[in-house]
Amino acid sequence: MKLSQLKKGAKGIIKEFTDLEMSVKLMEMGCLPGETIRVERIAPFGDPIAISVSGYQLSLRKREASTIELI
Amino acid sequence: MKDKLRIALVGNPNTGKSTIFNALTGLNQKVGNFPGVTVDKKIGFSKLADGTSLEIVDLPGTYSLYPKSADETIVFEVLSDRNNTSHPDLVLIVADATNLKRNLLLYTQIADLGLPVIIALNMMDLAAKGNMEIDIDGLAKRLNVPVVPIAARKSQGIEELKKAIQYQTHASFQNPTIDVEVIAPGLIRAISDELNLSNPYVALQIAHQYKNIRYLTKPQISKIEGLEKQYHFHSQKSQAAETIARYNFINDILLDTVKYNSVALEENISNKIDHYLTHKIWGFVIFILILFAIFQSIFAWSEYPMYLIETVFVWFAEMGHRFLPEGALTNLLIDGVLAGLSGVMVFIPQIALLFAFISVLEDTGYMSRVTFMMDRLMRKVGLNGKSVVPLIGGLACAVPSIMSTRTIENWKDRIITIMVTPLVSCSARLPIYTLLISLVVPKKYVLGFINLQGLALMSLYVMSIMAAILVAWVMKGIIRSKIKGYFIMELPVYRMPRWNNVGITMFESVKTFVTQAGKVIIAVSIVLWVLASYGPSNKFEKIEQKYDAPGLKSQYSKSEIDRLIASEKLENSYAGVLGKSIEPAIKPLGFDWKIGIALITSFAAREVFVGTMATLYSVDGDATKMESVREKMAGAKNSSTGLPIFTVASAFSLMMFYAFAMQCMSTMAVVYRETKNIKWPLIQFTYMLVLAYTASFIVYQLLK
């Protein structure tokens, strides 16, 4: 399952990334394999989304979220 | 210890880095530039108890030494190049205690560069409230680095921080964090040998960034390029491996030193606030209401201080005319310099208020929510959620806003944002709008509380933003690019604004406006006074001779003749000639030659308009009786028709012109610096001029 498919309020654990370039940027921001992610909010027009990760909130677009595979 | 210590302040965005900077330096700071780049270099000065003077350099906020934007490249350059004029003796890393894991990533990178470091662990008060226990001594011991707990917003721990700086030696003792050499063993050694480096992590960073590092020479760059091929170096893979290793190191330490008892309270509150502030409907309603409130307050609160400043200048001018000897120098001083100065000073209240509001929006964390809400919408028109901040910042000034587009990683999004930002009504247009609106819009209240003048002003602002969006949408179709953009942004928890910071922002912005724009305005005022006071060849003499005729003397009183002479002189002055020469082109817009003069002079900077009007109308007419510019303009009549010059049609037409035309040298200079291509400022200037002329023409012809 991909992060972009997660509903508001749902949780998941990061398994891997499908895009190397994105993964470097996401990992720097604390999205690491094994971290638990929770979808906190979805923006009024359906994109981007806000997630909780590593103890803070991060917003990213659905296209970026779709490169994160969850366990 | 030596007498002078240079400290670099480094940290993630939203960690309170600037609060600490302000707390350490107070108002004792200046803004400069790093040589060769346009990144603002904030330097502050302070003194330690033992008399050591500190020079503190505030580096751009970044999550990592790997730059995501042009701004962030400077951080590694300054820290790794001993010959850099800003190279520090000591690095002060500001880390957010409530978000330690991600904040420590930057720490581990900087620690590995081998400079002496101190960690300022900020937001300790919030960490405690969030039921989080941090073993400070344990952390310091594990890293072997001084860790100073502080709560910068409450000014707690600043003295301790100064002490830690005082006791820090000039050698670095921090424990190594990860084994850098294993990431690219052969390459690191080869680059170290090539550049004579002693630190392996500097070599690794250079391996990633060499193309953008300005202190490397061309032969060095091509040598590194060759080495990377030889060792099969893959930048992204290596970076991924490094980041994972760093987080392993961090997790290990945090496991022993931090205890979480429950979810942070602040975050829960933030979530509740966000439920409304980023709500599908309420989110936008609140956003509009906030903008509405800001513009209403700017008008309401600045009225009295503006009146006060105006009165003081009128008094000075009166005193000057009464007590100074009559002559060209006195006239230059009063009608040139003083009139120009008054035109600058009178807008200080509005600029201060606008910057204060923008800094509050940034400081509370609301601005990033606006970015979050608007991203989808902005993408539709070829922009990016991150374009919202430059666009809103454009309400204050396009120059810093265009510089702030460097946070937009995607080239096309960034170019479009740069191209449309100057359309957003900046504070320099505010004086013009205020003046013209107060001339033609009655000061009435609709529904009891909506100030009609405020409403007119807000419509102009809304229009400017819509124009920016529309132009962006058109450009989206024209500019081609293959690179995909991305959008990864922290949503900081809501915080109360730091009034101290807001105050400093207000002070700094006013200082910049007065010194930067003020210089231009006063210089232009003086040139203008000369242009308006002197004319080609012997025309002035002829005018004097004409009115010396006995027939006229019996017909008019002395003061009437003086006024006629003055007005005819102005018409025949250099300024008049210039204004008249463009009159045919601007007549369909409802402008006369005097406005023509103002348009010409304000092509350098819009603010000059009001100063020009001040000069033109105090030169024209009875010079001994001072009136404020507004009254003079209201009384201005077209010399051929006798009708007032500033009607609803011509005033709004003029506002349209100022709304759309690119009348700002500084903006054009910045666009050139940021795009490194003369094509962009030229395109921008042209399209904006066409837009301005068309809009003015339509408005004047419709309202006439």
Side-chain angles (χ1 to χ4, degrees):
Chain A
M1 182 142 154
K2 289 174 178 148
L3 171 61
S4 52
Q5 296 164 320
L6 228 52
K7 293 229 160 55
K8 186 183 162 180
K11 280 185 184 178
I13 295 169
I14 302 177
K15 188 170 117 200
E16 58 189 9
F17 302 94
T18 55
D19 182 302
L20 181 64
E21 192 193 339
M22 283 316 307
S23 77
V24 172
K25 283 163 185 134
L26 288 166
M27 284 198 291
E28 271 188 351
M29 299 299 282
C31 297
L32 294 144
E35 284 284 341
T36 305
I37 287 186
R38 193 181 123 101
V39 177
E40 295 290 346
R41 249 177 320 287
I42 295 170
F45 297 104
D47 198 18
I49 63 171
I51 59 167
S52 280
V53 64
S54 293
Y56 80 108
Q57 283 195 14
L58 184 72
S59 72
L60 69 171
R61 287 181 187 155
K62 283 211 162 143
R63 200 179 61 213
E64 286 125 32
S66 70
T67 68
I68 301 179
E69 276 291 338
L70 304 174
I71 292 171
Chain B
M1 197 155 220
K2 68 172 181 178
D3 306 330
K4 200 170 173 187
L5 197 62
R6 190 182 291 121
I7 298 176
L9 205 57
V10 191
N12 285 186
N14 310 311
T15 49
K17 198 160 64 73
S18 54
T19 313
I20 291 175
F21 181 69
N22 289 339
L24 285 172
T25 63
L27 281 175
N28 205 352
Q29 30 180 283
K30 62 176 189 196
V31 180
N33 255 312
F34 292 104
V37 283
T38 48
V39 183
D40 270 347
K41 176 183 173 182
K42 268 168 75 186
I43 313 173
F45 304 92
S46 187
K47 249 195 167 61
L48 292 178
D50 68 352
T52 312
S53 48
L54 299 182
E55 181 189 317
I56 304 170
V57 183
D58 189 16
L59 292 174
T62 179
Y63 293 103
S64 146
L65 279 182
Y66 293 106
K68 283 194 206 57
S69 62
D71 258 23
E72 296 172 10
T73 314
I74 199 78
V75 180
F76 176 70
E77 273 189 8
V78 165
L79 296 183
S80 64
D81 179 16
R82 261 176 245 277
N83 298 321
N84 192 301
T85 49
S86 304
H87 187 71
D89 304 306
L90 170 70
V91 184
L92 183 60
I93 298 172
V94 182
D96 174 356
T98 63
N99 197 349
L100 207 47
K101 192 196 274 184
R102 201 202 60 218
N103 275 262
L104 282 180
L105 177 73
L106 182 65
Y107 162 77
T108 65
Q109 293 178 334
I110 287 169
D112 288 349
L113 293 177
L115 292 164
V117 286
I118 290 180
I119 297 179
L121 202 54
N122 196 15
M123 313 209 189
M124 282 306 289
D125 50 334
L126 298 179
K129 255 202 265 174
N131 289 333
M132 192 179 165
E133 283 170 44
I134 303 173
D135 174 8
I136 305 273
D137 293 336
L139 190 63
K141 229 170 250 163
R142 286 289 294 267
L143 301 171
N144 205 21
V145 153
V147 178
V148 186
I150 56 177
R153 279 174 191 252
K154 295 185 174 166
S155 313
Q156 290 165 1
I158 299 297
E159 284 313 309
E160 289 79 354
L161 187 60
K162 280 190 174 174
K163 266 183 210 143
I165 293 169
Q166 189 177 326
Y167 295 133
Q168 176 68 338
T169 53
H170 278 269
S172 56
F173 290 114
Q174 65 265 28
N175 293 334
T177 60
I178 59 165
D179 189 356
V180 172
E181 307 243 13
V182 300
I183 294 170
L187 182 67
I188 287 177
R189 236 161 289 144
I191 291 179
S192 297
D193 289 347
E194 179 63 34
L195 302 176
N196 206 7
L197 300 170
S198 54
N199 182 298
Y201 191 54
V202 173
L204 181 63
Q205 279 285 343
I206 288 176
H208 287 286
Q209 299 195 43
Y210 69 96
K211 279 181 185 148
N212 298 316
I213 295 175
R214 291 169 309 136
Y215 61 77
L216 294 177
T217 61
K218 280 230 168 77
Q220 285 173 332
I221 289 176
S222 55
K223 187 83 205 227
I224 296 169
E225 205 166 4
L227 287 173
E228 301 213 334
K229 283 210 184 87
Q230 188 188 330
Y231 287 97
H232 306 290
F233 181 68
H234 193 292
S235 178
Q236 284 171 354
K237 276 183 193 158
S238 141
Q239 207 182 319
E242 183 193 327
T243 306
I244 288 175
R246 291 193 181 284
Y247 272 112
N248 283 337
F249 171 80
I250 293 164
N251 282 336
D252 228 34
I253 286 180
L254 292 187
L255 203 65
D256 299 334
T257 53
V258 180
K259 236 168 75 189
Y260 297 92
N261 296 331
S262 68
V263 184
L265 184 71
E266 297 283 320
E267 212 185 308
N268 281 339
I269 296 172
S270 257
N271 266 338
K272 279 187 190 132
I273 300 175
D274 267 337
H275 181 71
Y276 296 101
L277 290 193
T278 62
H279 187 268
K280 263 181 197 154
I281 297 154
W282 300 121
F284 291 102
V285 171
I286 293 166
F287 182 47
I288 300 286
L289 283 179
I290 287 175
L291 288 184
F292 184 79
I294 287 175
F295 292 116
Q296 289 283 319
S297 340
I298 286 176
F299 240 72
W301 297 346
S302 62
E303 197 182 331
Y304 186 72
M306 284 174 82
Y307 170 77
L308 211 67
I309 294 169
E310 248 175 9
T311 314
V312 168
F313 272 96
V314 168
W315 182 83
F316 266 117
E318 266 176 11
M319 289 298 121
H321 275 300
R322 192 178 301 166
F323 294 112
L324 290 176
E326 247 180 81
L329 198 66
T330 303
N331 285 342
L332 169 69
L333 203 68
I334 294 171
D335 301 326
V337 179
L338 202 65
L341 201 63
S342 128
V344 179
M345 302 304 244
V346 81
F347 299 107
I348 289 177
Q350 291 179 331
I351 286 164
L353 280 169
L354 190 61
F355 273 94
F357 281 118
I358 286 180
S359 106
V360 169
L361 294 186
E362 290 253 20
D363 222 33
T364 49
Y366 182 66
M367 209 67 117
S368 55
R369 268 65 183 194
V370 174
T371 305
F372 174 69
M373 282 199 298
M374 305 295 268
D375 182 62
R376 182 77 187 268
L377 212 60
M378 297 308 254
R379 247 189 309 159
K380 281 228 162 75
V381 297
L383 296 167
N384 178 306
K386 287 188 180 166
S387 314
V388 174
V389 176
L391 287 181
I392 293 180
L395 293 172
C397 179
V399 175
S401 305
I402 284 172
M403 286 159 81
S404 74
T405 59
R406 267 175 282 181
T407 56
I408 303 172
E409 295 88 353
N410 180 275
W411 176 82
K412 182 177 169 180
D413 292 358
R414 183 165 169 232
I415 281 286
I416 296 178
T417 310
I418 289 174
M419 293 304 275
V420 302
T421 297
L423 282 174
V424 178
S425 270
C426 64
S427 55
R429 289 169 172 112
L430 196 54
I432 301 156
Y433 292 164
T434 323
L435 185 66
L436 293 171
I437 286 175
S438 65
L439 269 176
V440 296
V441 178
K443 197 175 173 184
K444 267 196 210 150
Y445 282 85
V446 184
L447 299 173
F449 69 98
I450 301 171
N451 179 330
L452 206 59
Q453 294 185 338
L455 194 69
L457 184 72
M458 193 183 149
S459 327
L460 281 163
Y461 275 85
V462 171
M463 182 200 73
S464 77
I465 290 170
M466 299 214 302
I469 289 172
L470 211 68
V471 172
W473 181 72
V474 172
M475 285 190 175
K476 180 193 172 193
I478 299 171
I479 301 171
R480 297 268 159 236
S481 155
K482 280 187 214 105
I483 307 158
K484 280 189 296 177
Y486 67 92
F487 175 88
I488 302 172
M489 182 191 68
E490 181 184 356
L491 291 173
V493 291
Y494 286 107
R495 302 257 156 88
M496 282 301 287
R498 296 155 292 182
W499 300 112
N500 197 10
N501 282 10
V502 174
I504 289 175
T505 310
M506 274 167 79
F507 177 81
E508 289 294 325
S509 62
V510 167
K511 198 170 98 184
T512 313
F513 175 75
V514 171
T515 54
Q516 302 298 314
K519 261 186 244 159
V520 180
I521 294 168
I522 290 173
V524 172
S525 299
I526 292 171
V527 170
L528 220 92
W529 178 84
V530 171
L531 284 179
S533 308
Y534 299 93
S537 65
N538 55 356
K539 271 194 176 158
F540 274 35
E541 272 170 49
K542 277 187 186 154
I543 293 165
E544 300 252 5
Q545 279 167 14
K546 183 177 139 194
Y547 285 98
D548 217 20
L552 278 166
K553 275 196 173 166
S554 57
Q555 218 176 323
Y556 298 105
S557 70
K558 169 88 174 65
S559 68
E560 274 176 314
I561 288 183
D562 280 347
R563 208 174 305 147
L564 286 170
I565 292 176
S567 122
E568 201 162 322
K569 270 187 177 174
L570 180 59
E571 227 178 307
N572 287 291
S573 67
Y574 291 111
V577 172
L578 217 59
K580 275 186 178 155
S581 67
I582 64 160
E583 198 172 20
I586 56 173
K587 211 166 187 171
L589 313 181
F591 307 159
D592 70 341
W593 57 274
K594 274 189 188 172
I595 298 176
I597 298 171
L599 289 183
I600 290 169
T601 57
S602 59
F603 256 102
R606 297 178 180 96
E607 305 90 303
V608 174
F609 173 82
V610 181
T612 304
M613 284 294 156
T615 310
L616 284 176
Y617 283 101
S618 68
V619 171
D620 183 13
D622 201 342
T624 49
K625 202 179 143 221
M626 293 295 299
E627 288 172 319
S628 78
V629 195
R630 181 192 305 160
E631 285 161 43
K632 284 201 166 128
M633 284 171 65
K637 299 269 194 304
N638 188 319
S639 50
S640 54
T641 60
L643 294 169
I645 291 166
F646 292 100
T647 60
V648 171
S650 68
F652 273 93
S653 160
L654 191 54
M655 283 192 263
M656 287 302 138
F657 196 88
Y658 274 92
F660 293 124
M662 162 68 98
Q663 286 161 304
C664 183
M665 297 289 271
S666 323
T667 305
M668 289 186 63
V670 164
V671 172
Y672 173 63
R673 272 196 308 190
E674 293 293 315
T675 56
K676 296 186 183 75
N677 191 338
I678 193 75
K679 171 177 107 180
W680 295 114
L682 287 179
I683 292 175
Q684 197 171 29
F685 180 83
T686 315
Y687 97 77
M688 288 178 74
L689 189 63
V690 171
L691 208 60
Y693 194 91
T694 318
S696 288
F697 182 81
I698 293 170
V699 163
Y700 184 68
Q701 298 301 331
L702 283 180
L703 293 178
K704 192 167 66 166

